[in-house]
Amino acid sequence: MSDRPDLPADTPTDLWIDGHALPSVSGARFDVADPATGGVLTSVADAGVADASKALDSAVAAQSRWAATPPRRRSEILYRAWELVVEHTDELALLMTLEMGKPLAEARGEVAYGGEFLRWFAEEAVRIGGRTTTAPSGNGRILVTKEPVGPCLAVTPWNFPLAMGTRKIGPALAAGCTVIVKPAEDTPLTMLLLARLFRDAGLPDGVLSVLPTLDSAGVIGALMADSRLAKISFTGSTQVGRILLGQAAHHVMKASMELGGNAPFIVFDDADIDAAVEGALAAKMRNGGQACTAANRFLVHNAVRERFTAALADRMDALRVGAGREDGTEVGPLINERQRSRIAALVDDAVASGAVVRTGGKAIAGDGWFYAPTVLDHLPTDSDILAEEIFGPVAVITGFDTEDEAVAAANDTPYGLAAYFYTRDLDRTLRVSAALNAGMVGVNRGIISDPAAPFGGVKESGLGSEGGSEGIAEYLTTKYIALTA
Ligand code: NAP
């Protein structure tokens, strides 16, 4: 099979192990699809357990030298990698658009956002502190140092093929850890190109490996069972996160989990409604709704509900849906047919139980996995679509009358990743921010991700933070050294 003609000729499609592009030990490969057509883009090497073992051997062999590399040098490599990512914006964005479907403009935005984690952590690499105090008893000194945890496994999802990787690779390398990345099977190409850019930035062999595989459970299971692996950092569904936490328990391995969400988006009656509609569009439609931070449930005060709903439906209806590589596309396809069928079933079920379709409500016929931007109103409170992470271009709206009612509904979920609300009342801002049981709260804004801020969830949305000065702590252990003098 020959590659699609619009795929750049030098697109990497082999495994990346110990600084080299390699076929898998078994010689197996698997196809990568274009969600905008349903056709095959290319094929990549399919890692098995033997390849995972080679990658771990190289990560373990490189670990002590990388940990001993001066922080300034680690910082310079990360900084150079950031420069290379920016220089290769067009190439990275095109790969993301082709393998994942997002519009080119959004893909370029992800290159800027994802690359920034490398620059941010280049700056953090030289600021790893420790502390020293005299013991209160006067009996010697307490010296506290920070050390890299050791070889790490980073498992990433398909929705942000670059940023979900750099958010883990950046802090791990800054801390002095080696990393094996297991990208999602739907989107391996972007991460393979990133590995090559890291080589060009001067990263020593063995410090970063990338293992695309169709056998996620087998490959990851084998790595997790090896006591030489020191840490797992996972971004993906809560369901898979639970499995990996169970595996981590065996060696009591350090684990960071960025899991699913069910973000509420509350519009109070004192909100600037025009601004709330713009914010809603951003919070819902970034990445076509395929974001863990996506607004999942719109809770709108009944006094402004019809105005908000009508305006949001108009804006959603006007969005241009199409292949991400076409000029002017605002919403790309869903990642695969399975996701589209899942979303269609959720919408159909809601409509069968009484929800009103204000716009959309159906899959778009033809090639590719497109679904129309949809607004549903008048949902029964027990609708499955209110309880599940939709992960698609569907906004569901319910009403409320009091602040307490809105906060209680917002918190009525096992998830706690992002939450949003719109109000012009400062007292309410502080009260509701405190009352929302979420790791991140957006006030009068629909986009909250920032490499300089700690990203993470509570409850079943995860453990730990990525980004900010908190992000590097996930890759460091604390050592206490007792001194007599
Ligand atoms: P997923 O099915 O959990 O997959 C995530 C990763 O885990 C992929 O690399 C996947 O590989 C791998 N995986 C799947 N089954 C596995 C198993 N049994 N053992 C080991 N690894 C396994 O999630 P997804 O569908 O890719 O992504 C969507 C989910 O990610 C949503 O729930 C979303 O909220 C969450 N997410 C969270 C954040 C956050 O920061 N909190 C950010 C983005 C996405 P394969 O692709 O090869 O199956």
Side-chain angles (χ1 to χ4, degrees), residues 246-313:
Q247 294 174 353
H250 185 66
H251 294 298
V252 195
M253 186 186 290
K254 202 168 165 70
S256 304
M257 295 279 142
E258 295 291 345
L259 308 176
N262 183 355
F265 186 109
I266 308 172
V267 183
F268 289 103
D269 53 348
D270 63 358
D272 175 338
I273 300 300
D274 293 339
V277 170
E278 289 312 310
L281 207 65
K284 178 75 251 179
M285 294 306 290
R286 179 177 181 219
N287 221 28
Q290 302 172 109
C292 53
T293 49
N296 211 53
R297 296 168 291 150
F298 289 89
L299 308 166
V300 187
H301 193 282
N302 282 323
V304 294
R305 175 166 149 200
E306 180 48 34
R307 185 175 152 209
F308 174 87
T309 305
L312 182 63

Side-chain angles (χ1 to χ4, degrees), residues 1 113 158 276 346 455:
M1 186 217 57
Y113 167 62
W158 47 264
L346 280 174
F455 188 108

Side-chain angles (χ1 to χ4, degrees), residues 73 76-78 80-81 84 196-203:
R73 179 68 192 133
E76 285 165 353
I77 292 171
L78 277 166
R80 180 65 192 134
L84 287 172
R196 194 163 74 194
L197 296 180
F198 263 110
R199 179 204 60 192
D200 296 347
L203 191 70

Side-chain angles (χ1 to χ4, degrees), residues 156 158 167 182 185 216 220 235-237 258-259 292 389 455:
T156 56
W158 47 264
R167 213 160 75 167
K182 205 301 284 175
E185 69 189 53
S216 298
I220 293 171
T235 297
S237 61
E258 295 291 345
L259 308 176
C292 53
E389 187 176 26
F455 188 108

Side-chain angles (χ1 to χ4, degrees), residues 95-302:
L95 278 191
M96 264 193 277
T97 293
L98 291 177
E99 67 178 345
M100 188 272 157
K102 66 181 71 192
L104 266 177
E106 273 199 71
R108 286 199 191 94
E110 182 174 341
V111 177
Y113 167 62
E116 189 59 25
F117 285 101
L118 305 181
R119 180 163 65 162
W120 173 265
F121 285 108
E123 291 157 351
E124 292 294 296
V126 290
R127 317 232 184 283
I128 300 168
R131 67 185 172 92
T132 177
T133 52
T134 301
S137 62
N139 183 21
R141 211 181 302 254
I142 295 167
L143 178 63
V144 179
T145 61
K146 298 286 176 184
E147 297 181 354
V149 294
C152 300
L153 173 61
V155 180
T156 56
W158 47 264
N159 58 346
F160 293 93
L162 182 74
M164 296 302 98
T166 55
R167 213 160 75 167
K168 300 180 189 305
I169 298 167
L173 298 187
C177 299
T178 58
V179 196
I180 300 170
V181 183
K182 205 301 284 175
E185 69 189 53
D186 287 315
T187 58
L189 302 175
T190 307
M191 195 47 56
L192 290 170
L193 177 54
L194 181 72
R196 194 163 74 194
L197 296 180
F198 263 110
R199 179 204 60 192
D200 296 347
L203 191 70
D205 293 352
V207 177
L208 173 67
S209 293
V210 180
L211 298 176
T213 180
L214 277 188
D215 181 17
S216 298
V219 163
I220 293 171
L223 289 168
M224 296 290 286
D226 193 318
S227 61
R228 295 176 301 163
L229 187 71
K231 177 182 168 76
I232 167 87
S233 177
F234 173 73
T235 297
S237 61
T238 298
Q239 188 191 359
V240 174
R242 275 194 195 97
I243 297 173
L244 298 181
L245 276 173
Q247 294 174 353
H250 185 66
H251 294 298
V252 195
M253 186 186 290
K254 202 168 165 70
S256 304
M257 295 279 142
E258 295 291 345
L259 308 176
N262 183 355
F265 186 109
I266 308 172
V267 183
F268 289 103
D269 53 348
D270 63 358
D272 175 338
I273 300 300
D274 293 339
V277 170
E278 289 312 310
L281 207 65
K284 178 75 251 179
M285 294 306 290
R286 179 177 181 219
N287 221 28
Q290 302 172 109
C292 53
T293 49
N296 211 53
R297 296 168 291 150
F298 289 89
L299 308 166
V300 187
H301 193 282
N302 282 323

